[in-house]
Amino acid sequence: MFAKQLFLSAALANFLLYPAVGCSRASDGYLSEKKNQSNHLFAEAPPRHSPSAEMSVQNIGESRKNAITEAVRICSPAIVGINVTEVQSYSPLGGFFDDDPFFRNFSRQFSQQRLVQGLGSGYLISPDGYILTNDHVAGQAKKVVVTMTNGEKYDAEIIGSDPTSDVALLKIKGNNLPYLKLANSDDVIVGEWAIAFGNPFGLFDINAKPTVTVGVVSNIGVSFTQSNRVYRNMIQTDAAISSGNSGGPLVNSYGEVIGMNTVIYSTAQSGSGAGSIGIGFAVPINRVKSIVERLKKDNKIDRAFDPGFYVQDVDERIARSYGLDKTEGVVITQVRRNSSADRAGLEPGDLILSIDGSPVHKSDDLQMIIFDGVVGQTFAITLMRGDEKIVKKMMLEKAQTGR
C-alpha cells in the first residue's frame, strides 16, 4: 500500500543519515555587533505603512505567483486520496517452518485471512471519473474509497490492474469532474521542474488537500525490476516522495502529467516509515497511457505466458569459450520442449545479442524486455550461433497449466 522501496547499501544509507557539515556561519564579532545594535539576532521587517515597504510587498506578492503556483492551482482539484481495504492471508505459524514440507503444507491448510487498511494517492484523468493509481496501492483491494479535495468521498470500482507495470485504473460515478491533462513523456527534459502531488503518510485525510513538493527531473530512462514488476524508462526526480505518495502524479510546470509516482529509495526498514531522501521514480505517462487503454478495453493485460528457456550471464569462462572480448551478454542454457522458445528455434548454447533491437548485456536486460510482454506478442531475437549471427522470431504463447 505504501510507496515501494529499493533499499540502499548500508554504507550509502549511513552516509545519507549523517548531518551535513561545513556550512558557513557569521563570525562572533559580526553577531556581537548586530546584537548591540538591536538586542536581537534576527532582522525585523520594516513597518508596513512605509510607502517603500508597501511597494516592495506588492512587488514580492506579484513575484510569488509563478509557473509552479499556477500548476498547483490547476492540478490540485483533480488529486484524490485513496483508502483501501485489502484481504491478506497469513499463517498462524508465521514463516518459521517454510523450509519443512510438512509444516509448510500444514501452514497453508490452516492459513487465515485478515483485513488490512492502506492508503495511497491518485488523480482524475477524465470528467466522468476515471482515476489512475498504482497496482500496489489498489490492485488487490476489496474496497476502495476515494476522497476529493472538496471532502466528498466515493466508492471506487477497480476497472483493471496490471501488476507488471504497477498501473491500476479506477472509476467513480460523477460528471464534470476536474481532471488532469497527460503530457508526452518522451519530451521530458532532465533539469526541468517536476511537481509531485500526493497523500504522504495519510496527510490528505486531515484537510482533504494534497501535499505538493517541488524538484527537478533528475534523470530519465532508468529501468529496473522489483518483486516481479518491470519498471521501464522511469523518470527520476528529487521532488520529495514518501510513503503514501504512490499513485500520485508528477507534473511539469505547465500542469501536465509526465509520470506517476511509484518507487522511492529509502533508508527506512519498513514501508510505513519510508521517507524521501531525494531519489524517487515515476512511471512515464506514455507507458501508463498504453496500459490504461488495454485495461479500459479488457479489464486486464494477459501476461500469463512462459517463454520456456533459461539463460546464464556470460562470465570470463564463457567469454573465453566464445572468443568474446568482454563478459557481456547471456547464453541460453536450457530450452523446454514444445515451448515458445522451442517453436522459435532457440537452442542451448545460443548467445543472445539483442531483442527487438535492444542490446542484451545481462540477464536483467532480458527479463526487462521479455516479462514486459503480453500473450501473443512476437519478439525478434538476434543470436550468435557459432560464428553466425541469426535472427529468430519468438511468439509468447499462453502458459499451459501442468506444463
Side-chain angles (χ1 to χ4, degrees), residues 233-237 241 250 258-263 280-284:
N233 300 318
M234 299 288 276
I235 300 172
Q236 182 182 337
T237 181
I241 300 173
L250 186 71
I258 59 175
M260 181 160 60
N261 304 322
T262 301
V263 180
F281 297 94
V283 180

Side-chain angles (χ1 to χ4, degrees), residues 312-355:
Q312 177 183 340
D313 285 324
V314 172
D315 55 21
E316 292 183 0
R317 178 183 60 82
I318 295 175
R320 284 195 302 270
S321 66
Y322 278 81
L324 302 176
D325 297 329
K326 49 188 176 181
T327 56
E328 283 190 2
V330 296
V331 61
I332 297 177
T333 58
Q334 181 182 347
V335 176
R336 194 163 52 251
R337 301 180 76 177
N338 297 320
S339 65
S340 297
D342 187 28
R343 273 185 272 276
L346 304 187
E347 298 179 1
D350 286 344
L351 185 69
I352 298 179
L353 303 177
S354 66
I355 300 179

Side-chain angles (χ1 to χ4, degrees), residues 1 7 21 84 107 116 147 150 169 181 187 202 210 228 239 264 306 335:
M1 300 307 165
F7 294 110
V21 295
V84 303
S107 177
V116 178
T147 304
N150 60 7
L169 179 64
K181 295 180 179 180
D187 291 339
N228 297 321
I264 63 172
D306 182 2
V335 176

Side-chain angles (χ1 to χ4, degrees), residues 158-176:
I158 302 175
I159 299 299
S161 194
D162 179 40
T164 299
S165 63
D166 207 355
V167 174
L169 179 64
L170 311 179
K171 178 74 166 63
I172 61 175
K173 293 180 180 180
N175 294 296
N176 299 319

Side-chain angles (χ1 to χ4, degrees), residues 142-162:
K142 181 180 179 63
K143 180 179 177 62
V144 181
V145 177
V146 167
T147 304
M148 305 282 289
T149 54
N150 60 7
E152 293 181 356
K153 296 182 182 295
Y154 295 84
D155 288 334
E157 175 189 1
I158 302 175
I159 299 299
S161 194
D162 179 40

Side-chain angles (χ1 to χ4, degrees), residues 116-129:
V116 178
Q117 304 295 325
L119 54 84
S121 310
Y123 51 103
L124 285 148
I125 58 171
S126 70
D128 57 345

Side-chain angles (χ1 to χ4, degrees), residues 169-218:
L169 179 64
L170 311 179
K171 178 74 166 63
I172 61 175
K173 293 180 180 180
N175 294 296
N176 299 319
L177 297 170
Y179 64 96
L180 300 185
K181 295 180 179 180
L182 308 185
N184 177 6
S185 54
D186 290 340
D187 291 339
V188 169
I189 304 171
V190 174
E192 72 169 296
W193 289 114
I195 309 166
F197 292 82
N199 178 24
F201 305 107
L203 294 177
F204 196 101
D205 292 341
I206 296 177
N207 66 347
K209 296 293 187 296
T211 293
V212 178
T213 54
V214 179
V216 298
V217 174
S218 305

